[in-house]
Amino acid sequence: MPTPTRPPTARLPSRMLPKLRRDLLTWYNAHRRDLPWRRTRDPYRIWVSEVMLQQTQVATVIPFYHRFLQSFPDLGALARADIQVVLKHWEGLGYYRRAHHLHRAARKLVDSGGGRVPDRHRAFKALPGVGDYIANAVMSIAFDQPWAVVDGNVKRVLARLGGIGDPVNQAAAHRVFQQTADCLLDRRCPGTFNQALMELGALVCTPRRPNCPECPWQAPCFARQNDATAQFPTRIRRAPVPKRAMVAGVVCHRGQVLVVQRPSEGLLAGLWEFPGGRRRERETGSAACGRLLRESTGLSVTAERKLIRVNHAYTHFKIVLDLFLCRKAGGRVRLDGPQAFRWIRPAELNTLPFTGACKKTFAQLPLERLCRR
Ligand code: SF4
C-alpha cells in the first residue's frame, strides 16, 4: 500500500504553529532528562557534547563527556593537548575524525588569538568538522540564536507529524526537513525548543513503536491520524554495505608485541593496531599475513596459527579481521604505510589509542602469555 502523505503546503499550516510550540515546550518541561550538557551554557562544553552525540547514543556519551572535560576543561587545554592523548580519550566512541576536527578547531581558535568559541554562525561554521547541525545546535543552545537543528530524530518526528514522504536518508530531501524545522522553531527560545524536539524523538517518537498516547502532538499528527506511524519516515534503499577480509599479525619479541600507527590522514588516522591489511581474493589468511607484514613492516614472519576472528563495522563497510600468531624469521622494521611502530609490553597497550577492531581482540587474547613464549 502506498504511504499516504500530505502535500507540502498542508504540512504544518501556520495557524497550528503556536499550539504545536506550546504543547511541545510544556511536555519538555515535564519530561526532559537531566543530562550533564544541559546544566551548562558554556559553548565549548555544549559543542563537545554535540560532537560526541553525533552517531552515538546518550548513555554511551555521558562517561566519555565527563572524562574528556576533566582532562580538557576548556579550549586552551584541548588546543595544548597532544592529538594522541585526545584520541586516547576518544577511544571506544568511534568516528575518530570527530576528535581530530575538534582538536584542530581548538588549535585554530587559540592560535587566531581569540581562544573563544565564536558566537557568529558563519565564523563557527568555518571551523573544521562544523557542519549545519553542529553550528545550529551550538548557536541556538549556547547563544539563543534562532537556528533550527535537523538530525535523525528531528526528521523522523517531522515526517510523522507533517506527513512528509521525502526519504530521510536522501541528501536532496534535507532541505525539505530544514525548511519545516525553520517554520516550526520557537524563536523566543530556540535552544530549548531544539532540545525539546530532539528529546521527543529520543523518548516518545522512537523509530519503532512510537508511544503516541504520551505524545503532546498526537491530535495534529498526520501519521497517528492515518494509522501510518510505521510507514514514516520513508527511506531509499541503499546497496548493502560491502565486507572486507582483513588479516593482521601478532609478532612477539622478548616479551613485547609489535604495534604500528596508521597514517596521520585518512580512515582511523593516527590510531594504533597490529600490522596487517587487506587479504586478496583467493589468498589464504596465513599467506596474506606474511605478505602484508613484509610489505608494511619489512619483517619476514611465519604465520603459525590463527588466533581469533573479529567483526567490526565502519560507516561504509564492514571488516572481518583474522588475527594470526606470527614468528619473526628475520629482518628489521622498515615501515611502508604506517607512520610509526613500537615494541610494547602487553600491560602497556592501554597507554595508546587503538582502532576499535584491534581493541576488540585485546579482550579475547592471552597476549601476556603469547609474548612469554
Ligand atoms: Fe510521533 Fe506518535 Fe507523536 Fe506522531 S503522535 S509525533 S507518530 S509519537
Side-chain angles (χ1 to χ4, degrees):
M1 202 170 67
T3 303
T5 56
R6 259 188 196 145
T9 48
R11 280 171 186 163
L12 294 180
S14 51
R15 68 185 149 71
M16 284 171 56
L17 297 178
K19 182 161 166 46
L20 285 172
R21 292 174 187 140
R22 243 187 351 262
D23 289 349
L24 178 64
L25 289 170
T26 304
W27 172 85
Y28 182 61
N29 280 332
H31 296 93
R32 54 181 279 174
R33 289 168 292 178
D34 179 20
L35 301 174
W37 44 88
R38 288 187 178 154
R39 295 185 201 152
T40 180
R41 295 295 299 271
D42 177 346
Y44 167 70
R45 289 173 178 246
I46 291 167
W47 181 11
V48 169
S49 73
E50 290 297 342
V51 172
M52 287 186 169
L53 286 164
Q54 281 197 309
Q55 327 268 5
T56 313
Q57 303 279 337
V58 164
T60 308
V61 165
I62 290 174
F64 282 92
Y65 174 81
H66 286 307
R67 269 201 302 275
F68 194 89
L69 289 176
Q70 215 163 15
S71 299
F72 318 116
D74 51 43
L75 268 181
L78 180 58
R80 283 191 300 276
D82 187 293
I83 183 62
Q84 286 288 293
V85 180
V86 177
L87 289 174
K88 187 68 194 164
H89 282 73
W90 210 270
E91 190 182 58
L93 206 50
Y95 301 97
Y96 292 87
R97 194 181 297 251
R98 300 180 294 178
H100 282 282
H101 281 149
L102 203 50
H103 184 243
R104 256 180 239 149
R107 288 207 162 162
K108 209 167 166 183
L109 289 171
V110 168
D111 290 348
S112 68
R116 297 159 69 104
V117 177
D119 61 1
R120 304 282 292 274
H121 191 274
R122 184 192 288 235
F124 185 54
K125 216 184 132 186
L127 293 168
V130 179
D132 283 331
Y133 171 79
I134 294 283
N136 293 8
V138 174
M139 290 300 113
S140 63
I141 298 169
F143 300 114
D144 252 333
Q145 295 178 14
W147 298 92
V149 297
V150 174
D151 68 352
N153 279 337
V154 170
K155 283 184 181 174
R156 183 173 61 255
V157 177
L158 294 181
R160 288 171 174 164
L161 172 71
I164 302 172
D166 302 67
V168 286
N169 59 343
Q170 188 180 48
H174 186 83
R175 203 162 47 88
V176 173
F177 290 99
Q178 186 67 59
Q179 282 168 351
T180 310
D182 290 344
C183 285
L184 189 57
L185 183 69
D186 191 329
R187 282 154 199 274
R188 293 165 309 168
C189 53
T192 306
F193 187 84
N194 279 333
Q195 292 182 85
L197 189 49
M198 290 190 280
E199 193 79 332
L200 188 71
L203 300 184
V204 177
C205 194
T206 48
R208 262 163 278 149
R209 287 205 296 267
N211 190 1
C212 301
E214 295 296 320
C215 181
W217 287 346
Q218 55 181 291
C221 176
F222 178 85
R224 165 90 162 152
Q225 284 168 7
N226 289 277
D227 199 15
T229 55
Q231 292 171 58
F232 288 96
T234 67
R235 294 178 176 279
I236 44 172
R237 230 180 246 277
R238 296 227 185 268
V241 180
K243 219 178 223 186
R244 292 183 185 170
M246 312 288 289
V247 296
V250 172
V251 188
C252 294
H253 185 60
R254 295 186 178 157
Q256 296 178 316
V257 62
L258 179 65
V259 291
V260 294
Q261 187 183 25
R262 295 178 64 88
S264 57
E265 296 293 333
L267 182 74
L268 306 172
L271 295 181
W272 292 78
E273 61 189 1
F274 292 124
R278 201 164 167 181
R279 180 156 63 88
R280 290 178 183 150
E281 230 174 285
R282 283 196 277 277
E283 191 177 29
T284 65
S286 53
C289 189
R291 174 182 63 80
L292 286 159
L293 264 72
R294 194 171 57 249
E295 288 172 1
S296 63
T297 68
L299 290 181
S300 172
V301 302
T302 309
E304 288 184 334
R305 66 183 162 95
K306 189 164 101 179
L307 291 167
I308 174 179
R309 165 172 284 189
V310 294
N311 293 288
H312 197 73
Y314 294 102
T315 321
H316 301 298
F317 61 91
K318 294 177 180 172
I319 66 165
V320 180
L321 171 68
D322 286 334
L323 195 63
F324 286 84
L325 180 63
C326 297
R327 190 162 42 80
K328 184 167 167 271
R332 289 184 47 206
V333 178
R334 279 175 290 102
L335 296 179
D336 185 1
Q339 60 169 311
F341 74 94
R342 291 211 15 209
W343 290 100
I344 188 168
R345 260 186 270 283
E348 292 168 354
L349 285 170
N350 63 3
T351 60
L352 299 174
F354 278 89
T355 63
C358 204
K359 255 319 241 192
K360 272 185 188 168
T361 67
F362 294 165
Q364 302 173 50
L365 279 181
L367 271 174
E368 289 279 1
R369 188 162 56 72
L370 292 171
C371 282
R372 273 202 305 269
R373 290 183 328 145

